[in-house]
Every structure is written in C-alpha cells, then in structure tokens.
Amino acid sequence: QKLLRWLQSSATIQEIETLSHLKQWVIETQPEEMARELARHTKTGWSRCAREHELCVCKSPEIRFGYATLWVPYQRPEFSPPTADLAVLCEVRNFGGRDPAAGYLKECQCYSQDLPIEGAAGTTAGLPVNS
C-alpha cells in the first residue's frame, strides 16, 4: 500500500519505468546469472591489475579504468583474439580518452573470479600477504 501511494504521489515516470524493468528482470533472470550481474556492479569479482600508467595484464576481457565508483570500461579491439590475455597500458587514452575521475590517481581492474595474471604490474598475485 505504501509503495502504491508513493508511486501515485511522487514517483516520476522514469522511476516507475525503472522499477517495472527491474521487476521484469528479477522475474526472468536465473539466480546464477543474477548473482553474476549484481557482482559486476559491486566490488565482487573486480581486482586491481595496475595503477595508472602501469601495464594491466588480464585474463578477462573485462577491464575498467577509474577510481572509487567512477569507471570507464575497456573496449577490446575487433582484431584482438577473444581468448588472448589482454595487456593494456592503464591510461586515459586507452579508455576512450575520457577521464572518469580528473585529479585523482586511477587504477585498472580486471573482472574475474580469478586473480589477475601472476606477476602482472601492480598486482600482489604470487606474493605473500602480510597478516
């Protein structure tokens, strides 16, 4: 009832449309797929592969560049084989020339349940973690 009153009194058309799309997505989406999609929009599955101006080497085709909650996705070149590991210099020019967080030191992150390739610049993969 409260939701209905809110929708009728103050929700915009865009908000109602968004809720409608979300409801439909929840109904149609399998739990495993839903978990993967939700993980992509949180920290789960993302790990740093390089700091700004370092080389990011990633097993995953999904790399992002940015800071905090401000990210720009990497667009894999068409000629790049889909199974090849990616090596991308972590710089604005390689992410469409858009600086998602001007004035902040940014980083590149790989999306995967695995760690970035062991020994890649900017990673701690293969190094002991201090407790």
Side-chain angles (χ1 to χ4, degrees), residues 9-29:
S9 67
S10 62
T12 65
I13 297 296
Q14 289 85 4
E15 290 169 330
I16 293 170
E17 194 172 287
T18 300
L19 286 173
S20 177
H21 287 290
L22 177 61
K23 178 184 173 189
Q24 194 62 37
W25 179 75
V26 169
I27 290 168
E28 295 174 353
T29 306

Side-chain angles (χ1 to χ4, degrees), residues 70-118:
L70 306 169
W71 299 97
V72 176
Y74 178 70
Q75 299 297 317
R76 185 182 205 118
E78 289 181 30
F79 58 84
S80 179
T83 56
D85 295 335
L86 284 177
V88 178
L89 195 57
C90 189
E91 294 185 342
V92 171
R93 66 185 168 143
N94 293 320
F95 290 83
R98 293 184 305 152
D99 190 335
Y104 291 92
L105 182 62
K106 289 157 283 296
E107 65 182 31
C108 286
Q109 294 182 345
C110 297
Y111 179 78
S112 177
Q113 295 305 323
D114 302 324
L115 290 172
I117 295 174
E118 189 160 329

